[in-house]
């Protein structure tokens, strides 16, 4: 298949979506014959700078391909690293193109606004000569793994909250509590629900020494900056009560109890790191949305944004993310949203009774169990997506292990998904030297909760 004049060979194609063009394989094809060095530097809070070196083609006939390639790389870096300033080093034309895309009314205006909200700085794209490329500098933080004392962990997802209590590392309470946060615009509903979860866990302990939170969204200094869970809350109410929602609910358990917040993807990576004593772990959690995270070679969390839902995986303009308006991003391929999208494409009859999305996903899981070929094709397709995504991710993260978690990686559909993923990794990428970490099924569906409980050092 050909995209922007570059021919991409994809030997393993998703059964229900054969036109899929993986970014990782496209990068391989594009870089053949590309010789002009270009660097991209992305700066986030406290002077943290990530630098990615790549190449463009010299020939003018490749100008459109160069810009399209660089745009997807910038998008990937922005949402994996996070930042308020992008420096395009070595190509002024490309810098101007990216600056226009990320202008206030450009195609990537959503990305610009989001980064400005997160980092509270004006977003900037600038050109620098290659020799002036900023030096990479990234601070890391302890990745948790502390088991002593009486701890509560909670993983806050889009369809359920998973909460647990640990007594010196021993699990003494665990519960999964369904909820529908997007159906509630009142912040007091969210505060009450989360507080009730923590109080139920606290009843299983003689005291509470620490609380760890794994949650979708972006948090800076324990403040909620962006969170899809609360996107129906009006902006004024968000600022008044959601910005500090986790300090607020933790204080309801005890004013002086230390707490920590981790992106749910980082919690997935941490869970894989803890269960296998592994380093250089990419964590992928496939639930209501897609979350991802990373534990580096020193066993530490990097502080990168790691918003995998927005990372481009497919180069076609077919699957659109309703929130950002962009196409081909992870949320539409490695989540419950992908299950629903593919079920419709595979001809599985839709329900007319207004069934909740997660109930619909569970229904499709049951169809897999009964041997329904269309339902099996849905999860087989997602397994193929996952393998190609893993290859793409390892181009941006030093990777030795990939931890896979989340509700759609469990159950009968999860078994199909993981089997297909392994086959594609072996067949399409035989030289890829990494280990797939799969916690026990119960932990695979709720592993971030346990990992969250270990975040705070007493």
């Amino acid at each position: 298949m050909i995209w922007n004049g570059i021919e991409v060979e994809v030997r393993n194609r998703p059964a229900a979506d054969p036109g899929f063009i993986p970014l990782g394989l496209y990068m391989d094809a594009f870089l053949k014959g590309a010789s002009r060095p270009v660097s991209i530097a992305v700066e986030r809070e406290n002077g943290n700078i990530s630098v990615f070196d790549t190449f463009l083609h010299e020939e003018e006939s490749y100008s459109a391909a160069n810009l399209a390639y660089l745009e997807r790389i910038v998008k990937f870096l922005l949402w994996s690293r996070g930042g308020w300033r992008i420096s395009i080093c070595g190509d002024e034309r490309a810098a101007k193109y990216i600056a226009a895309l990320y202008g206030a009314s450009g195609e990537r205006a959503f990305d610009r606004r989001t980064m400005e909200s997160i980092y509270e700085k004006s977003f900037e794209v600038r050109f620098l000569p290659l020799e002036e490329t900023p030096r990479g500098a990234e601070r890391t933080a302890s990745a948790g793994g502390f088991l002593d004392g009486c701890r509560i962990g909670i993983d806050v997802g889009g369809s359920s909250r998973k909460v647990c209590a640990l007594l010196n590392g021993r699990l003494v309470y665990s519960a999964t509590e369904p909820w529908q946060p997007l159906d509630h615009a009142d912040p007091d509903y969210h505060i009450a629900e989360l507080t009730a979860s923590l109080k139920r866990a606290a009843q299983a302990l003689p005291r509470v020494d620490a609380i760890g939170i794994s949650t979708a969204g972006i948090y800076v200094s324990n403040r909620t900056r962006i969170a899809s869970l609360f996107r129906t809350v009006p902006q004024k109410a968000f600022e008044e009560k959601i910005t500090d929602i986790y300090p607020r609910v933790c204080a309801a358990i005890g004013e002086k109890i230390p707490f920590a917040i981790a992106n749910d993807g980082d919690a997935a990576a941490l869970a894989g790191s803890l269960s296998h004593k592994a380093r250089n772990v990419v964590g992928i959690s496939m639930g209501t949305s897609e979350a991802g995270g990373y534990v580096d070679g020193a066993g530490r969390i990097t502080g990168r944004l790691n918003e995998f839902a927005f990372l481009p995986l497919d180069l076609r303009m077919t699957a659109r993310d309703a929130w950002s308006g962009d196409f081909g991003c992870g949320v539409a391929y490695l989540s419950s949203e992908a299950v629903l999208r593919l079920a419709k494409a595979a001809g599985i009859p839709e329900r007319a009774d207004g069934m909740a999305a997660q109930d619909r996903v569970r229904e499709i899981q049951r169809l897999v169990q009964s041997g329904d070929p269309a339902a099996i094709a849905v999860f087989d397709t997602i397994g193929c997506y996952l393998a190609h995504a893993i290859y793409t991710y390892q181009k941006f993260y030093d990777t030795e292990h990939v931890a896979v978690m989340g509700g759609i990686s469990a159950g009968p559909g999860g078994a199909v998904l993981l089997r297909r993923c392994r086959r594609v990794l072996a067949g399409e990428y035989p030289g890829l030297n990494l280990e797939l970490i799969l916690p026990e099924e119960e932990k695979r569906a709720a592993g971030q909760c346990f990992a969250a409980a270990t975040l705070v050092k007493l």
Side-chain angles (χ1 to χ4, degrees):
M1 54 189 68
I2 296 175
W3 190 74
N4 266 302
I6 304 295
E7 186 171 355
V8 186
E9 181 184 1
V10 185
R11 295 192 298 275
N12 292 267
R13 299 187 181 186
D17 190 11
F20 179 72
I21 307 176
L23 175 59
L25 286 177
Y26 179 79
M27 291 173 68
D28 291 346
F30 177 88
L31 289 171
K32 292 176 182 177
S35 59
R36 180 155 53 86
V38 172
S39 294
I40 305 161
V42 183
E43 182 175 348
R44 58 181 191 271
E45 80 282 357
N46 301 323
N48 283 282
I49 299 174
S50 298
V51 178
F52 187 85
D53 301 319
T54 188
F55 295 90
L56 300 178
H57 288 268
E58 291 281 4
E59 300 89 339
E60 184 62 27
S61 59
Y62 280 93
S63 59
N66 282 342
L67 296 177
Y69 166 80
L70 201 67
E71 187 277 326
R72 291 288 82 182
I73 300 302
V74 168
K75 170 86 174 188
F76 198 108
L77 291 172
L78 189 62
W79 286 100
S80 61
R81 272 55 171 175
W84 58 274
R85 174 188 283 160
I86 298 172
S87 301
I88 307 295
C89 310
D91 191 308
E92 189 168 8
R93 177 195 288 184
K96 291 179 179 178
Y97 175 73
I98 297 298
L101 283 176
Y102 284 87
S105 58
E107 289 182 29
R108 300 288 168 261
F110 169 86
D111 307 60
R112 175 197 179 101
R113 290 194 304 271
T114 304
M115 296 301 158
E116 288 183 334
S117 177
I118 293 167
Y119 298 105
E120 299 179 308
K121 286 180 176 288
S122 297
F123 192 82
E124 177 184 348
V125 178
R126 64 177 182 175
F127 164 73
L128 290 176
L130 189 63
E131 61 272 15
E132 295 180 19
T133 300
R135 181 177 297 178
E138 295 192 80
R139 298 175 180 87
T140 58
S142 170
F146 306 108
L147 297 172
D148 55 318
C150 300
R151 300 170 172 271
I152 296 173
I154 186 168
D155 176 42
V156 186
S159 59
S160 67
R161 307 183 302 271
K162 302 174 181 71
V163 62
C164 65
L166 305 184
L167 180 59
N168 292 322
R170 180 169 59 91
L171 189 67
V172 295
Y173 174 84
S174 178
T176 298
E177 302 171 344
W179 74 329
Q180 296 297 328
L182 294 182
D183 293 342
H184 296 272
D186 182 356
D188 290 333
Y189 163 83
H190 302 284
I191 293 167
E193 289 287 307
L194 293 170
T195 301
S197 289
L198 295 180
K199 285 184 175 180
R200 283 189 285 269
Q203 290 174 357
L205 296 168
R207 64 183 186 280
V208 178
D209 296 324
I211 299 171
I213 300 139
S214 161
T215 183
I218 300 166
Y219 299 82
V220 178
S221 300
N222 292 329
R223 298 171 67 212
T224 311
R225 306 308 305 156
I226 299 292
S228 61
L229 297 175
F230 310 122
R231 67 176 181 262
T232 57
V233 176
Q235 184 61 31
K236 187 173 186 296
F238 187 103
E239 293 171 357
E240 291 176 351
K241 293 186 175 181
I242 298 297
T243 297
D244 66 346
I245 187 169
Y246 291 114
R248 186 188 294 261
V249 299
C250 289
I253 308 304
E255 286 288 347
K256 296 184 179 180
I257 296 174
F259 68 92
I261 303 171
N263 174 279
D264 51 354
D266 278 337
L270 174 58
S273 176
L274 293 175
S275 66
H276 285 64
K277 296 181 172 58
R279 299 290 184 265
N280 287 329
V281 180
V282 169
I284 302 171
S285 179
M286 298 184 291
T288 307
S289 182
E290 183 200 3
Y294 183 61
V295 172
D296 68 11
R300 299 173 74 83
I301 292 173
T302 61
R304 293 172 177 174
L305 198 56
N306 293 329
E307 279 295 314
F308 279 37
F310 295 114
L311 299 185
L313 296 178
D314 181 9
L315 297 179
R316 301 168 304 160
M317 295 184 68
T318 51
R320 182 178 182 270
D321 170 32
W323 197 16
S324 70
D326 201 0
F327 293 85
C329 299
V331 63
Y333 295 81
L334 300 175
S335 71
S336 296
E337 185 175 316
V339 176
L340 300 177
R341 176 175 65 84
L342 291 168
K344 184 176 181 180
I348 297 175
E350 294 190 67
R351 295 284 296 259
D353 56 3
M355 177 182 281
Q358 289 308 303
D359 291 334
R360 176 67 168 152
V361 170
R362 283 189 283 270
E363 183 179 64
I364 297 167
Q365 287 265 22
R366 288 192 291 271
L367 290 175
V368 174
Q369 183 72 49
S370 68
D372 183 276
I376 291 170
V378 166
F379 284 91
D380 184 84
T381 292
I382 295 173
C384 190
Y385 288 155
L386 176 60
H388 289 303
I390 287 170
Y391 182 68
T392 299
Y393 296 152
Q394 60 85 37
K395 290 182 174 295
F396 296 87
Y397 295 87
D398 291 332
T399 310
E400 296 179 22
H401 307 84
V402 177
V404 178
M405 295 184 183
I408 69 165
S409 72
V416 172
L417 182 160
L418 294 167
R419 185 164 57 247
R420 175 64 162 159
C421 177
R422 288 188 183 280
R423 288 205 304 267
V424 175
L425 286 174
E428 189 98 38
Y429 309 109
L432 197 59
N433 185 26
L434 56 79
E435 178 187 2
L436 205 60
I437 295 176
L438 302 174
E440 296 174 6
E441 180 150 327
E442 183 179 355
K443 293 181 180 177
R444 196 154 71 237
Q448 294 101 304
C449 175
F450 187 97
T454 76
L455 286 170
V456 177
K457 183 178 182 180
L458 299 180

